[in-house]
Amino acid sequence: MAFTIATFNVKNLIGPDKVYYPFEKLTPEAYAWKRDWLSDQLLQMDADIVGFQEIFDEPSLRDVIAECDAKGIEINEISQPGRDKKYRRRALYRNLRYRSYDNATLLYAPNMHSVEEDGRRRPGLAMISRHPVIEHDAIQDISDDPIETPLAQLGGAEAGSWRLTSLSRPIQRVVIEADNTPITVFNAHLKSKHGEVYPGPDGVRAEDNLLDFDPFGRAFGALRSTLRRMGEALVLRRLILAELATGRPVIVLGDMNDAANSVSSEILTGEEPFKNYAWMRRHDAKRENDRYADAENDQIQEAVRAVRLKSAETMFTRRARRDMIYTASFNGVYESIDLILLSRHFQDGEDGQTGQLDYLQCFNDHLTDGSFEEAPYNKLASDHGQLVATLSWI
């Protein structure tokens, strides 16, 4: 049996006439356009499990899903043969049939930092599943178990420390029964690359005043956002490792705001195993030629591979010999920052493999890189491409 799973950053989905960021809101007409576009996209994706990012309120997402279902039912009435047609059972029509989300489970995770006052709302996450949901929770406040570490000493002297107690957006953890097999799906939206700056005494963020350009202040803001994104990736990695310890397959999806080969993504996936650790000098070497034994190499290889995730994009492009997939474009830069990461259960040739990646679709025809004047379409459609992975059990 196969199932499909997707990630979808919808870009600021909220009901009409609600200010979400300063001076930003959707008019009723703009909301209707956005709902129509999002429902069309969701209809094309037709995924069994979808992780959504940038959801400001649950009713607007339910509105989009209802619109998608209405369109899907209308298409079924046109494209599905009637009972009087002998060919109605052919696989072609079965595969073309849209399956409603009527009986699906929708889970919304609001942002704990969101304030209803105009311009102070913060987006949350949501997930919908046509498969049964066994468990669901969301993590954002980590003050009881913060990320806290001293930096390595330099020359015997302290070099400082760093601490994270709260995430910018929640992380959803959902255990889903896919074809009688429980899997854990994480939905995340890590901190963006946009600089994190502080407001001045008058409430204006000095680094945002481009007429008094502050290059050091903006670099400092980039450092803060990078630290936060790295810390949030580490929190998610901690959750991933706990789930892998249960033996369940794990899928991580969402807007990670970094490419699959970035440092923050490597924190999520775990490190790439070295070709042969028997070439490496031992950690407790007493002599120059003290290296790991062959049996120890096997032990280390298994320890690294057992908890390593792989990007569905990387797996698919190698198999399909495809040049490029991108899910975001800004200022002429094309990159993949929306990821679907798979545990070894879906990795070809790995011990314990129980499933496989059959196909990966990327819906990105709507993306533009900002090289021409921005039209309303660019502002209302999502600024992210959507990934849909088809997975099956073996």
Side-chain angles (χ1 to χ4, degrees):
M1 295 288 290
F3 65 96
T4 49
I5 186 165
T7 180
F8 192 170
N9 184 320
V10 299
K11 187 184 179 184
N12 301 331
L13 179 59
I14 191 171
D17 292 329
K18 295 181 179 180
V19 177
Y20 52 98
Y21 293 144
F23 312 113
E24 295 288 343
K25 67 178 181 179
L26 296 174
T27 65
E29 295 79 9
Y31 174 76
W33 193 99
K34 187 174 183 72
R35 178 186 60 193
D36 181 60
W37 187 89
L38 291 175
S39 61
D40 276 350
Q41 203 76 348
L42 191 59
L43 180 64
Q44 291 184 72
M45 293 162 62
D46 194 19
D48 299 321
I49 303 165
V50 185
F52 298 95
Q53 301 89 46
E54 295 198 24
I55 305 295
F56 280 86
D57 60 18
E58 184 178 354
S60 59
L61 179 57
R62 290 191 177 276
D63 201 12
V64 169
I65 293 168
E67 182 78 4
C68 174
D69 278 346
K71 292 176 180 178
I73 293 169
E74 184 178 344
I75 290 173
N76 282 348
E77 291 174 353
I78 299 170
S79 65
Q80 292 296 308
R83 293 179 62 84
D84 59 326
K85 300 295 194 302
K86 293 182 179 179
Y87 51 79
R88 69 182 185 276
R89 297 184 184 276
R90 291 179 182 174
L92 167 66
Y93 299 106
R94 184 172 63 250
N95 292 336
L96 287 175
R97 184 184 303 122
Y98 173 77
R99 290 180 299 141
S100 168
Y101 288 109
D102 266 354
N103 297 318
T105 302
L106 178 62
L107 303 164
Y108 174 55
N111 194 317
M112 62 177 286
H113 302 305
S114 188
V115 179
E116 290 302 307
E117 296 176 20
D118 287 354
R120 298 179 62 195
R121 289 185 169 94
R122 294 294 179 267
L125 305 171
M127 191 181 299
I128 194 167
S129 174
R130 290 171 174 153
H131 295 272
V133 172
I134 302 171
E135 299 176 25
H136 169 239
D137 53 33
I139 300 93
Q140 190 167 14
D141 181 358
I142 60 167
S143 56
D144 290 340
D145 191 12
I147 297 296
E148 187 169 19
T149 180
L151 300 178
Q153 292 185 348
L154 299 173
E158 296 295 332
S161 62
W162 181 74
R163 189 169 189 259
L164 181 68
T165 60
S166 181
L167 310 182
S168 56
R169 287 172 280 259
I171 295 172
Q172 274 188 305
R173 170 189 166 274
V174 184
V175 181
I176 295 171
E177 190 177 274
D179 302 322
N180 300 315
T181 303
I183 60 172
T184 300
V185 181
F186 288 103
N187 180 21
H189 186 184
L190 303 187
K191 176 68 181 76
S192 71
K193 296 178 183 179
H194 184 73
E196 188 173 295
V197 296
Y198 289 113
D202 56 358
V204 176
R205 300 189 298 190
E207 293 90 340
D208 282 346
N209 179 4
L210 299 182
L211 296 178
D212 188 15
F213 189 73
D214 180 2
F216 181 78
R218 292 176 70 84
F220 208 164
L223 170 65
R224 292 192 195 101
S225 65
T226 301
L227 284 174
R228 185 179 293 277
R229 185 168 60 258
M230 296 287 182
E232 291 176 349
L234 187 59
V235 172
L236 180 49
R237 181 61 175 169
R238 184 166 63 185
L239 297 170
I240 292 166
L241 292 173
E243 289 301 313
L244 288 173
T246 70
R248 281 194 294 262
V250 171
I251 301 174
V252 181
L253 56 82
D255 177 3
M256 305 309 173
N257 272 307
D258 241 338
N261 59 351
S262 66
V263 175
S264 60
S265 294
E266 185 177 287
I267 291 173
L268 291 177
T269 62
E271 62 191 83
E272 178 81 32
F274 190 60
K275 184 174 179 63
N276 186 355
Y277 291 93
W279 298 348
M280 295 179 63
R281 188 170 291 112
R282 296 178 58 88
H283 61 285
D284 56 354
K286 300 295 191 298
R287 297 180 301 276
E288 180 181 350
N289 63 346
D290 275 353
R291 304 186 186 278
Y292 292 109
D294 289 340
E296 291 173 324
N297 168 67
D298 294 341
Q299 174 188 332
I300 299 169
Q301 292 280 352
E302 170 59 20
V304 175
R305 292 181 182 278
V307 294
R308 176 167 169 75
L309 308 183
K310 285 189 178 180
S311 160
E313 176 190 333
T314 301
M315 293 166 63
F316 184 70
T317 52
R318 286 176 180 171
R319 182 192 306 167
R321 291 182 291 182
R322 186 169 178 169
D323 289 337
M324 178 183 181
I325 288 178
Y326 63 90
T327 66
S329 61
F330 181 73
N331 205 22
V333 177
Y334 289 75
E335 58 184 344
S336 289
I337 61 177
D338 303 85
L339 305 177
I340 298 178
L341 306 175
L342 305 172
S343 65
R344 72 188 308 188
H345 304 82
F346 300 102
Q347 298 173 21
D348 292 342
E350 286 291 332
D351 290 343
Q353 181 186 2
T354 55
Q356 62 188 11
L357 172 68
D358 294 329
Y359 201 72
L360 182 71
Q361 293 172 279
C362 182
F363 296 82
N364 60 6
D365 286 348
H366 58 282
L367 295 181
T368 58
D369 65 2
S371 60
F372 58 88
E373 290 188 17
E374 194 168 23
Y377 176 87
N378 305 65
K379 293 182 70 67
L380 294 176
S382 172
D383 55 350
H384 288 251
Q386 292 76 54
L387 295 178
V388 181
T390 301
L391 304 170
S392 63
W393 305 108
I394 58 175

